[in-house]
């Protein structure tokens, strides 16, 4: 039997090619993901292994660089000072010690825009030794900074932006822009730099003034003398450093291990995400593989029946089919592994070309090879399991009398019952999760979505007949006999049609769900900005920094500004809990903000009364006129009256109070954003005037209403593009499934096609029939995907309502229609080769086919 199975594989190479290609694509995705993530992880770990070569013990002040207000209130916080550094340097086991401070440093381009990403542009101190050099940052050109007007820049940033020694730069840390001169260009093996970041070095005094306080460090790195272990030096240092909760000690070995673990965790998350999409591709491949083996077995029904009649048992027939699947799966998986190594190498080269990861070789572990081959082989065997079971259950006499065995009514009833139960239970669980909302509803919705998908897949044969049959009159009218035959062929074998369509349904379902969710979120954000904001511009700081009071006054006096107000973020204690309040200037409130009050008036706000969103009002049992006892940030107490209620809005916040009412009750303002109204509205002239007023500070972000919407829309579009690309493999495999099904269907129907040609159907008519059959199946699959995806998107939006005010499901009808049109195009393209093959059949030879 095994020899027979092997002979069948070799004799049906062409028919199994598409199946093997589906397995190759799926396993290549898996292998490529593992190779890429392992290679990146190894490169980063190798880079980090040298990052702490000159660090035996690190003393860190975790309070340094944190929110100054929080630090001032932390009575246990003790700094690392110059005196601490000298004490560590004087220890018997210390060879050298250096103090470091650092934080964000934004470099401005000529137009005042931030160079580089918001989170990877850093500043640190240049700390030269007795020889005038800092071993951490070897100078490639020039010298280190020696005054507040000088900086040194890393070599990669300098080369990328054309900076050289002597150039004048504008840099901002967390305040006004500094005009400085480039004194030197340095090299460094810091992983952050090799991963695409930038680093600016100040002299120590300037860095301390920017990031900590004069004479204070964020951390001190000590190098042990030969013969002194890291643990021994750590014990010595513990005796001289301040004893405080914010001062921690770590050995170099611990730092290296922790850094490597962070890399491992990060690469693991990336690997999991990519493997999820690889799993989808393999799941889609199951439909193709199962369909192929079902059709192959149907073509060999008489052969298998003869084997049964000659003494082969059901178990032997089943093993024969499974052996074929194992051979196909193993062979395709080995090829997929090779292709995956190539994909991983290409991805690493692409990522490395942008300087986003350190250089390094390709990492192909034995586990990658084993996982790839095992997954591909097992998936292929599982996909062939049900066809093998069906093949073994056919009675020999019945099988020899007909090539196609009718499906029993009992099996159809059982299948449809299971499908209805799964789909009904899935819908019920999804609705339950939506009713719970928030994080508690995520698991029910996820479980329900899986049940709905499985239920619909089981019911697809039942659904395909009436839906596809409904297209009959249209096809007959438009395409005549070819259209009628295409419709009949599509519903002739509903199980085959269902399996072919379901592969495409999976990809379209996910694409539709993501598209509807993205469109709905973008619409909600747009509605909030355009409905509640009258201001022309919102001016904020990068990285969530507060807007400095000096910048607020500069913006108010900018050319063309007619009204402005900060949004001062404060917290009031109300009823044992906290209430976030946005402080807004009452005199310019009506010109800048337009809350859609459901009760109360904005005049009450001007009189010092509280405006609160509907969710807060409901949870706290408040309404217009309610008196609310509060404790202000500075500890004083008082009572506020609710003057109005508005729908929940992320732009306005949970509550609003006039700055005049807050005056004298806060410790310090926390200006989250400045709203600006300009003469003539939003224009390039007014925007430039605001940028000029801030000194072209790269930390300042000036955005009009449209720019705020566009920025968010671009983020959503970028995410969707990435997800579309990741789902592209699944869609490609689904296309192969359509091609494979049609090609094998043409082979099965040789005699029928020959008869059609003999009675007058020309080659063009045959091609049109095959193409229309493919289009019908593809549109059916895409239509189901759009329907299921829309339902799942509605459920997901129901969960997100708690986090995003005003979120409702918005259907992008144009895109949904495009998905179905693309489905038709996919069907048309997939049918080109099978249709051409069908039209070229020899009429007499096809009629004589058994």
């Amino acid at each position: 039997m095994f020899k027979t199975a092997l002979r069948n594989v070799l004799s049906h190479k062409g028919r199994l090619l598409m199946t093997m290609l589906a397995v190759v694509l799926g396993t290549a995705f898996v292998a490529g993901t593992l190779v890429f993530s392992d290679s990146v992880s190894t490169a980063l770990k190798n880079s980090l292994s040298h990052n702490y070569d000159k660090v035996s013990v690190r003393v860190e002040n975790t309070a340094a660089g944190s929110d100054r207000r929080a630090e001032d209130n932390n009575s246990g916080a003790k700094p690392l000072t110059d005196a601490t550094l000298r004490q560590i340097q004087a220890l018997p086991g210390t060879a050298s010690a250096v103090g470091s401070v650092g934080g964000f440093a934004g470099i401005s381009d000529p137009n005042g825009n931030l160079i580089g990403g918001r989170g990877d542009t850093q500043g640190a101190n240049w700390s030269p030794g007795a020889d005038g050099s800092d071993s951490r940052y070897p100078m490639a050109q020039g010298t280190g900074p020696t005054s507040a007007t000088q900086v040194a820049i890393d070599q990669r940033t300098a080369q990328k932006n054309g900076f050289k020694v002597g150039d004048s730069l504008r840099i901002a840390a967390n305040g006004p822009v500094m005009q400085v001169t480039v004194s030197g260009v340095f090299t460094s093996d810091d992983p952050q730099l090799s991963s695409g970041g930038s680093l600016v070095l100040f002299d120590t005094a300037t860095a301390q003034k920017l990031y900590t306080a004069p004479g204070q460090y964020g951390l001190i790195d000590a190098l042990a003398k030969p013969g002194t272990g890291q643990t021994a030096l750590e014990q010595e240092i513990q005796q001289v450093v301040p004893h405080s909760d914010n001062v921690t000690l770590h050995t170099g070995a611990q730092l290296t291990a922790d850094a490597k673990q962070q890399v491992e965790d990060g690469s693991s998350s990336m690997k999991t995400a990519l493997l999820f999409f690889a799993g989808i591709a393999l799941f889609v491949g199951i439909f193709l593989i199962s369909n192929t083996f079902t059709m192959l077995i149907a073509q060999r029904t008489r052969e298998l029946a003869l084997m049964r009649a000659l003494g082969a048992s059901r178990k032997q027939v089943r093993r024969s089919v499974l052996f074929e699947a194992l051979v196909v799966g193993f062979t395709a998986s080995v090829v997929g592994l090779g292709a995956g190594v190539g994909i991983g190498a290409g991805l690493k080269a692409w990522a490395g070309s942008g300087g986003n990861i350190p250089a390094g070789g390709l990492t192909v572990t034995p586990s990658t090879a084993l996982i790839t081959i095992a997954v591909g082989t097992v998936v292929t065997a599982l996909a062939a399991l049900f066809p093998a079971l069906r093949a073994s259950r056919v009675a020999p006499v019945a099988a020899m009398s007909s090539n196609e065995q009718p499906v029993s009514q009992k099996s159809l009833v059982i299948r449809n019952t299971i499908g209805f139960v799964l789909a009904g239970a899935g819908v019920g669980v999804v609705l339950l999760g939506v009713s719970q909302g928030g994080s508690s509803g995520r698991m029910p919705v996820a479980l329900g979505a899986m049940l709905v998908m499985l239920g619909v897949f089981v019911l697809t044969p039942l659904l395909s007949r009436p839906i596809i049959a409904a297209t009959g009159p249209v096809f007959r009218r438009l395409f005549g006999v070819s259209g009628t035959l295409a419709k009949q062929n599509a519903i002739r074998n509903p199980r085959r049609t269902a399996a072919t369509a379901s592969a495409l349904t999976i990809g379209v379902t996910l694409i539709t769900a993501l598209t509807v969710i993205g469109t709905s979120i973008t619409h909600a954000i747009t509605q909030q900005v355009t409905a509640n904001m009258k201001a022309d511009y919102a001016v904020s700081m990068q990285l969530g920094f507060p807007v400095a009071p000096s910048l607020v006054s500069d913006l108010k006096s900018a050319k063309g500004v007619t009204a402005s107000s900060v949004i001062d973020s404060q917290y009031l204690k109300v009823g044992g809990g906290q209430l976030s309040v946005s402080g807004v200037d009452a005199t310019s409130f009506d010109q800048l903000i337009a809350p859609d009050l459901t009760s109360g008036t904005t005049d009450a706000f001007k009189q010092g009364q509280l405006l609160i969103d509907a969710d807060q009002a409901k949870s706290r049992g408040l309404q217009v006129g309610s008196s609310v006892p509060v404790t202000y940030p500075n500890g004083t107490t008082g009572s506020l009256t609710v003057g109005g209620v508005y729908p929940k809005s992320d732009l306005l916040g949970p509550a609003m109070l006039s700055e005049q009412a807050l005056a004298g009750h806060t410790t310090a303002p926390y200006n989250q954003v400045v709203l600006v109204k300009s003469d003539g509205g939003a224009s390039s002239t007014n925007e430039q005037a605001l940028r000029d007023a801030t000194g072209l500070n790269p930390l300042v972000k000036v955005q009009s209403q449209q720019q705020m919407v566009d920025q968010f829309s671009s983020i959503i579009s970028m995410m969707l593009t990435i997800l579309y690309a990741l789902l592209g493999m699944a869609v490609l495999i689904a296309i192969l499934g359509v091609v494979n099904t049609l090609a094998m269907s043409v082979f099965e129907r040789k005699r029928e096609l020959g008869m059609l040609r003999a009675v007058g159907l020309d080659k063009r008519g045959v091609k049109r029939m095959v193409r229309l059959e493919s289009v019908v199946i593809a549109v059916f699959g895409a239509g189901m995907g759009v329907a299921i995806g829309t339902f799942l998107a509605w459920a997901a939006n129901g969960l997100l309502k708690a986090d995003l005010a005003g979120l409702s499901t918005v259907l992008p009808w144009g895109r949904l229609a495009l998905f179905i049109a693309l489905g038709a195009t996919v069907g048309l393209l997939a049918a080109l080769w099978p249709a051409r093959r069908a039209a070229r059949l020899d009429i007499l030879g096809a009629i004589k086919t058994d």
Side-chain angles (χ1 to χ4, degrees):
M1 291 297 293
F2 289 117
K3 289 181 179 179
T4 303
L6 186 59
R7 186 198 67 220
N8 285 327
V9 172
L10 297 176
S11 63
H12 297 136
K13 295 187 293 290
R15 304 181 205 174
L16 291 170
L17 178 62
M18 293 297 179
T19 298
M20 295 184 68
L21 188 55
V23 179
V24 167
L25 291 174
T27 52
F29 201 158
V30 173
T33 294
L34 295 175
V35 170
F36 174 64
S37 56
D38 288 343
S39 299
V40 171
S41 177
T42 301
L44 289 173
K45 286 179 180 179
N46 290 338
S47 177
L48 287 169
S49 64
H50 303 293
N51 203 39
Y52 300 104
D53 286 348
K54 298 180 181 180
V55 179
S56 300
V57 178
R58 168 167 290 179
V59 186
E60 185 174 4
N61 178 13
T62 57
S66 62
D67 190 324
R68 291 293 178 83
R69 291 176 295 174
E71 187 176 341
D72 292 341
N73 293 330
N74 184 1
S75 58
K78 295 182 180 180
L80 300 176
T81 64
D82 285 325
T84 309
L85 175 60
R86 288 191 295 270
Q87 287 178 308
I88 294 175
Q89 290 172 334
L91 290 172
T94 302
S96 63
V98 59
S100 300
V101 288
F104 177 82
I107 307 173
S108 172
D109 68 7
N111 297 319
N113 298 313
L114 179 67
I115 290 177
R118 292 185 299 170
D120 57 8
T121 52
Q122 299 295 310
N125 66 311
W126 164 263
S127 183
D131 59 353
S133 65
D134 188 334
S135 59
R136 300 172 300 173
Y137 310 112
M139 284 293 160
Q141 302 173 31
T143 62
T146 57
S147 68
T149 60
Q150 293 181 335
V151 295
I153 297 181
D154 70 274
Q155 191 173 51
R156 181 182 176 279
T157 301
Q159 292 175 347
K160 186 175 181 180
N161 295 279
F163 299 144
K164 56 185 182 297
V165 175
D167 283 354
S168 179
L169 295 183
R170 294 190 355 272
I171 295 177
N174 186 18
V177 175
M178 299 179 291
Q179 196 77 27
V180 294
T181 301
V182 178
S183 65
V185 177
F186 63 90
T187 61
S188 173
D189 57 1
D190 188 330
Q192 180 178 322
L193 299 182
S194 58
S195 299
S198 65
L199 182 62
V200 176
L201 297 181
F202 303 94
D203 69 285
T204 298
T206 302
Q208 288 176 332
K209 181 179 178 181
L210 290 172
Y211 301 123
T212 54
Q216 295 184 13
Y217 298 98
L219 57 89
I220 296 175
D221 288 333
L223 179 65
K225 289 180 178 179
T228 302
Q230 294 185 354
T231 303
L233 180 59
E234 181 182 25
Q235 293 174 348
E236 290 183 20
I237 293 175
Q238 283 178 341
Q239 306 303 315
V240 299
V241 298
H243 295 285
S244 173
D245 293 337
N246 62 289
V247 176
T248 58
L249 277 71
H250 302 281
T251 64
Q254 289 175 328
L255 292 171
T256 301
D258 291 344
K260 288 184 176 181
Q261 186 60 48
Q262 289 181 358
V263 170
E264 187 69 30
D265 294 341
S267 61
S268 176
S269 300
M270 177 185 65
K271 184 187 299 183
T272 301
L274 292 175
L275 286 176
F276 171 76
F277 289 96
I280 293 174
L282 285 171
F283 183 65
V284 171
I286 288 176
F287 290 91
L288 191 162
I289 298 165
S290 180
N291 221 13
T292 302
F293 274 94
T294 297
M295 296 173 73
L296 285 174
I297 289 169
Q299 294 169 14
R300 289 162 39 208
T301 301
R302 289 187 177 180
E303 174 190 330
L304 294 174
L306 182 59
M307 294 172 62
R308 289 287 312 281
L310 293 175
S313 65
R314 289 185 175 183
K315 183 180 294 186
Q316 286 178 312
V317 171
R318 189 164 56 247
R319 286 179 177 175
S320 172
V321 176
L322 289 176
F323 179 72
E324 291 181 45
L326 290 173
V327 171
V328 171
F330 178 81
T331 305
S333 299
V334 171
V335 176
L337 174 61
V341 172
I343 291 173
L347 288 173
K348 188 173 185 300
W350 170 75
S353 64
N356 296 320
I357 58 174
L362 208 62
T363 303
V364 184
T365 63
S367 62
T368 295
L370 291 175
I371 290 172
T372 302
I373 294 174
V375 166
T377 305
V378 171
V379 165
T380 307
L382 289 176
L385 179 60
F386 286 107
L389 291 173
R390 284 198 295 269
S392 65
R393 290 174 180 171
V394 178
V397 175
M400 285 189 285
S401 64
S402 174
N403 277 336
E404 291 192 13
Q405 300 302 310
V407 179
S408 68
Q409 187 66 27
K410 180 180 178 182
S411 67
L412 290 176
V413 171
I414 293 175
R415 179 184 180 121
N416 293 337
T417 301
I418 293 174
F420 278 117
V421 170
L422 288 174
V427 171
V429 174
V430 167
L431 294 178
L432 174 64
V434 173
S435 65
Q436 291 178 345
S439 58
S440 59
R442 291 174 186 170
M443 286 303 297
V445 167
L447 175 61
M450 293 179 59
L451 293 175
V452 168
M453 294 281 286
L454 291 174
V456 171
F457 291 154
V458 175
L459 287 173
T460 302
L462 177 66
L463 297 173
S464 65
R465 278 186 178 274
I467 294 176
I468 294 178
T471 64
V474 177
F475 273 54
R476 183 170 56 252
R477 185 174 303 168
L478 294 177
F479 306 106
V481 174
S482 296
T484 302
L485 292 173
K487 184 266 295 185
Q488 292 175 349
N489 289 333
I491 63 176
R492 175 186 298 181
N493 192 328
R495 282 189 172 181
R496 181 184 303 170
T497 298
T500 306
S502 296
L504 188 59
T505 297
I506 297 171
V508 177
T509 294
L510 295 173
I511 289 172
T512 298
L514 293 170
T515 301
V516 173
I517 293 172
T519 302
S520 301
I521 292 176
T522 301
H523 181 266
I525 296 295
T526 302
Q527 286 292 100
Q528 284 195 31
V529 173
T530 57
N532 296 322
M533 181 175 164
K534 285 185 178 180
D536 296 318
Y537 294 99
V539 183
S540 58
M541 301 292 287
Q542 304 277 11
L543 296 177
F545 290 145
V547 181
S550 59
L551 285 177
V552 175
S553 61
D554 291 338
L555 290 168
K556 286 184 178 180
S557 59
K559 182 181 178 180
V561 173
T562 57
S564 67
S565 173
V566 298
I567 293 184
D568 183 9
S569 180
Q570 299 289 339
Y571 285 92
L572 308 181
K573 291 183 180 179
V574 179
Q578 286 191 325
L579 176 64
S580 176
V581 173
S582 299
V584 185
D585 180 26
T587 59
S588 56
F589 181 81
D590 288 338
Q591 301 177 65
L592 302 172
I593 296 176
D596 184 18
L597 295 178
T598 56
S599 60
T601 64
T602 56
D603 289 337
F605 176 84
K606 298 175 184 178
Q607 297 168 9
Q609 295 184 11
L610 185 71
L611 300 185
I612 192 168
D613 76 36
D615 286 5
Q616 290 288 334
K618 181 179 179 180
S619 64
R620 298 176 185 273
L622 302 176
Q623 58 185 353
V624 173
S626 297
S627 180
V628 185
V630 299
T631 301
Y632 292 101
N634 66 352
T636 60
T637 59
S639 180
L640 292 173
T641 301
V642 176
V645 178
Y646 56 89
K648 183 180 178 181
S649 169
D650 295 315
L651 180 69
L652 303 180
M656 290 186 290
L657 189 65
S658 67
E659 279 286 87
Q660 289 81 352
L662 280 171
H665 297 294
T666 63
T667 56
Y670 193 87
N671 301 325
Q672 190 173 10
V673 67
V674 180
L675 300 180
V676 176
K677 188 77 172 177
S678 296
D679 186 18
S683 66
S684 58
T685 302
N686 288 333
E687 180 178 344
Q688 191 59 48
L690 294 176
R691 290 186 178 277
D692 291 339
T694 62
L696 297 178
N697 192 323
L699 288 179
V700 177
K701 183 167 58 175
V702 179
Q703 288 183 302
S704 65
Q705 289 189 22
Q706 189 58 49
Q707 288 171 333
M708 293 170 67
V709 172
D710 290 345
Q711 180 188 26
F712 189 82
S713 298
S714 65
I715 294 173
I716 294 292
S717 297
M718 181 181 66
M719 293 176 60
L720 288 177
T721 300
I722 294 172
L723 294 174
Y724 289 164
L726 292 172
L727 290 171
M729 189 70 75
V731 176
L732 177 58
I733 293 175
I735 295 173
L736 294 177
V738 178
V739 175
N740 200 29
T741 299
L742 288 175
M744 299 187 74
S745 179
V746 167
F747 179 85
E748 284 183 344
R749 303 201 307 257
K750 273 186 178 181
R751 186 173 185 179
E752 174 187 324
L753 291 170
M755 292 295 295
L756 289 173
R757 291 291 314 281
V759 298
L761 189 64
D762 59 10
K763 289 185 177 182
R764 181 178 298 178
V766 171
K767 287 182 179 180
R768 184 185 298 125
M769 178 187 70
V770 176
R771 288 197 295 261
L772 290 175
E773 179 184 351
S774 177
V775 169
V776 167
I777 294 174
V779 169
F780 172 65
M784 286 203 309
V786 167
I788 300 171
T790 300
F791 172 70
L792 298 182
W794 170 83
N797 287 336
L799 298 180
L800 295 173
K801 283 182 180 179
D803 299 318
L804 180 58
L807 178 63
S808 61
T809 301
V810 177
L811 299 181
W813 294 107
R815 289 194 187 183
L816 298 183
L818 177 62
F819 294 157
I820 295 179
L822 289 175
T825 304
V826 163
L828 187 62
L829 294 175
L832 291 178
W833 176 61
R836 184 181 180 87
R837 181 182 178 188
R840 288 185 168 186
L841 287 176
D842 177 67
I843 297 176
L844 293 179
I847 292 175
K848 290 190 294 183
T849 300
D850 186 8

